[in-house]
Amino acid sequence: MKLQLREFLNDIREGERIFIEYESTSHPELSLDGLVKWSNEEGIPLLIVDMLDTFHLFVQQLRFLGYSTHHLENLCVIKGGGKVEFGKVIGRVRIMEEFYVQLKEYTDAVRLFFEKVKSDKAVIVFLGTEKFMYSFQESSYRVEEYFEKVVRSPLFKGNMIFVFALKGLMSAQVKALWHESSTRVLEINGRGDRFFIKKAPKPDHLDGVIEL
């Protein structure tokens, strides 16, 4: 099956988590650009959770490829570590081992975001989470604890969550848990202009292709 990006995005229901894997040689920033444009056209607020300046790297790559990034400048952003700010930073999450503290800071920032946009429905995009997890991914206990306390926490039912992750930084356990915890799993091809569907709620979507 072949789908256009808009067709695929319109099929996603509130409360879903979409996990998107990419290689270091591919261009996930093209997918992010398409997702932002779709959310703007649909009137759905979008929030970036930026771990370790990954959002800045995506923006820089888009500029290098000749894309305009003006529509990204006003996005609300929660920063997790890093030094480079892009967009409107509305909250910060400290990079620390006490996951319950991280979850509280994230929750407080997301509440502020919903108050700001005056909506009960939003797209939340996580960039660079695999960089943060890299420091403890060899500890099975810590990985399980992170998924239990942070990833699987039922927060804000109106969210549609997208997690972009670089394949080369994930251990087998981390990758397996992301697949298990997500309703859909996509893999970006080398050029970044299409997705391969690896997991989906609809059987006829499995092994399908999404084109930007």
Side-chain angles (χ1 to χ4, degrees):
M1 172 175 285
K2 186 176 292 186
L3 301 168
Q4 295 300 309
L5 179 60
R6 168 172 290 278
E7 184 180 4
F8 172 78
L9 293 173
N10 286 338
D11 185 62
I12 296 172
R13 305 276 72 86
E14 296 174 19
E16 287 200 54
R17 180 183 293 110
I18 298 85
F19 183 66
I20 303 171
E21 300 177 274
Y22 63 93
E23 300 278 2
S24 60
T25 54
S26 61
H27 293 282
E29 64 277 358
L30 300 180
S31 305
L32 175 64
D33 187 58
L35 177 57
V36 172
K37 289 175 178 175
W38 171 80
S39 71
N40 287 340
E41 292 169 2
E42 294 293 320
I44 304 173
L46 187 142
L47 171 66
I48 299 287
V49 181
D50 177 27
M51 304 298 284
L52 300 170
D53 294 334
T54 306
F55 185 36
H56 171 69
L57 295 177
F58 274 46
V59 171
Q60 289 295 92
Q61 188 61 27
L62 280 171
R63 289 172 175 168
F64 177 77
L65 293 172
Y67 285 77
S68 170
T69 59
H70 294 301
H71 59 295
L72 304 176
E73 295 176 0
N74 293 320
L75 292 178
C76 291
V77 177
I78 297 175
K79 288 286 292 182
K83 298 179 180 180
V84 182
E85 294 189 3
F86 186 86
K88 295 182 177 179
V89 178
I90 62 168
R92 298 181 185 278
V93 176
R94 285 174 288 175
I95 303 294
M96 57 197 311
E97 291 189 358
E98 291 83 359
F99 295 141
Y100 67 91
V101 176
Q102 182 187 125
L103 181 59
K104 183 182 185 307
E105 292 177 342
Y106 166 70
T107 303
D108 290 345
V110 173
R111 285 202 178 99
L112 180 63
F113 166 73
F114 276 111
E115 291 173 5
K116 179 180 177 64
V117 300
K118 295 180 172 57
S119 173
D120 58 358
K121 176 181 179 181
V123 173
I124 301 182
V125 180
F126 286 80
L127 302 176
T129 301
E130 77 284 1
K131 297 179 185 177
F132 163 67
M133 296 187 68
Y134 186 78
S135 63
F136 60 84
Q137 69 173 352
E138 297 307 318
S139 169
S140 296
Y141 169 77
R142 296 295 288 161
V143 170
E144 287 284 358
E145 184 183 30
Y146 179 77
F147 273 85
E148 184 63 31
K149 292 184 177 179
V150 179
V151 176
R152 299 190 185 111
S153 296
L155 297 174
F156 309 103
K157 295 180 180 179
N159 292 346
M160 289 179 283
I161 295 175
F162 292 78
V163 179
F164 286 77
L166 179 59
K167 293 173 71 173
L169 290 184
M170 292 184 291
S171 68
Q173 181 192 18
V174 168
K175 181 176 179 178
L177 286 172
W178 275 122
H179 282 222
E180 175 193 316
S181 303
S182 303
T183 57
R184 305 176 193 238
V185 176
L186 310 177
E187 183 177 312
I188 298 176
N189 74 335
R191 295 187 303 276
D193 61 353
R194 61 178 57 187
F195 302 97
F196 302 111
I197 303 173
K198 301 299 182 182
K199 179 180 179 180
K202 297 179 179 179
D204 60 328
H205 283 190
L206 285 176
D207 298 321
V209 175
I210 304 166
E211 295 184 337
L212 295 184

